Amino acid sequence: MLKRQIILDTETTGINPREGHRIIEIGCVELVNRRFTGNNYHVYINPEREIEAEAIAVHGITNERLANEPKFRDIAKSFYDYIQGAELVIHNAAFDVGFIDHEFARLRPALPPVNEYCAVLDTLKLARELHPGQKNNLDALCRRYDINNSHRTLHGALLDAEILADVYLLMTGGQVSLNLAAEQDQAEQGDTGQTAIIRSSKLKVIRASADELQAHESRLDLVQKKGGICLWRN
């Protein structure tokens, strides 16, 4: 049975939808059976209100940038259809889900709250369980799991969703690939259980140098001199 997950992030005009703040960007990355499918979702949204200066300092998105973007009501149905039935994987899920539910409730007719048609997995809660007493924001997790996020100078919904996808897969273990076609290769080759994120089917092969080959042969000689069985030569 296929398991569909949507790694989701939003950017907003401020921190509290009850004060009238709105979503201005949605970024989603789709995984099916822990494989990247490439069927992602990304949209900028005209919030029909001013963006707070504190929020602009975080994500760099201005009202001028969004002036000609669609309003939420224009993209609501396509977004609803995209996430419906999936498990949403979100860092600090209460924040993003709260904003999405607020936007859906504003529509006429309103759309139902997220938890009525999606499961939600909060990676912040998961990280706190795995790493109690430590920093568990996205930057800290990237450092902990050796994920390069040097290109992340500002927050961005799609960029953060892409980074969170890598973090989530490493946090929960398992080998992943760019698309579902890689499942057949894995079935034929066997699952090593190694934790890795593979975003390309073309892997660079690094061959041993002459010095390294000589060192390897010397080690095998040593094994045989001590009466060991050298499987590499048998």
Side-chain angles (χ1 to χ4, degrees), residues 2-225:
L2 297 180
K3 181 177 182 179
R4 182 170 181 259
Q5 295 174 297
I6 301 296
I7 317 299
L8 183 149
D9 188 60
T10 65
E11 300 298 339
T12 63
T13 63
I15 62 171
N16 192 344
R18 295 180 181 177
E19 295 177 356
H21 286 293
R22 308 288 303 277
I23 293 175
I24 58 174
E25 185 187 7
I26 301 172
C28 300
V29 173
E30 183 184 64
L31 302 178
V32 175
N33 286 359
R34 298 176 62 82
R35 269 59 175 178
F36 294 92
T37 69
N39 178 31
N40 300 337
Y41 182 95
H42 183 224
V43 63
Y44 289 101
I45 301 164
N46 183 337
E48 304 179 87
R49 60 152 291 155
E50 288 297 311
I51 304 171
E52 288 189 343
E54 293 85 352
I56 295 175
V58 171
H59 50 58
I61 304 172
T62 64
N63 284 98
E64 291 75 19
R65 164 67 181 81
L66 301 175
N68 297 318
E69 298 296 343
K71 299 174 176 61
F72 189 89
R73 59 180 174 271
D74 301 321
I75 61 92
K77 185 61 166 59
S78 65
F79 175 57
Y80 171 80
D81 290 343
Y82 177 80
I83 65 174
Q84 189 170 14
E87 179 183 53
L88 304 184
V89 179
I90 308 172
H91 205 65
N92 191 16
F95 178 88
D96 300 89
V97 171
F99 265 95
I100 295 169
D101 285 348
H102 176 73
E103 294 284 2
F104 282 169
R106 288 173 55 96
L107 300 170
R108 295 294 179 268
L111 287 172
V114 166
N115 63 10
E116 290 190 12
Y117 50 89
C118 289
V120 178
L121 188 157
D122 188 344
T123 52
L124 178 57
K125 180 180 178 181
L126 177 61
R128 285 171 174 169
E129 292 172 352
L130 293 172
H131 312 290
Q134 301 183 52
K135 287 185 178 180
N136 287 301
N137 59 37
L138 198 53
D139 287 334
L141 290 171
C142 285
R143 290 191 295 270
R144 189 168 299 138
Y145 289 99
D146 197 23
I147 294 171
N148 181 10
N149 69 336
S150 58
H151 54 303
R152 183 182 184 248
T153 56
L154 291 170
H155 288 242
L158 183 60
L159 174 60
D160 285 1
E162 290 171 341
I163 293 172
L164 180 60
D166 289 346
V167 167
Y168 165 72
L169 289 166
L170 287 174
M171 285 174 66
T172 55
Q175 191 170 18
V176 301
S177 62
L178 181 62
N179 54 53
L180 291 173
E183 285 189 354
Q184 181 62 35
D185 293 338
Q186 185 178 12
E188 293 173 356
Q189 297 171 10
D191 188 352
T192 65
Q194 181 181 7
T195 298
I197 293 178
I198 302 172
R199 291 189 175 274
S200 173
S201 59
K202 296 180 179 180
L203 298 179
K204 182 179 180 180
V205 177
I206 301 176
R207 302 190 182 279
S209 67
D211 289 342
E212 289 169 334
L213 290 172
Q214 181 58 47
H216 178 65
E217 290 300 321
S218 297
R219 176 61 62 177
L220 298 185
D221 290 339
L222 182 61
V223 170
Q224 288 185 316
K225 285 180 181 178

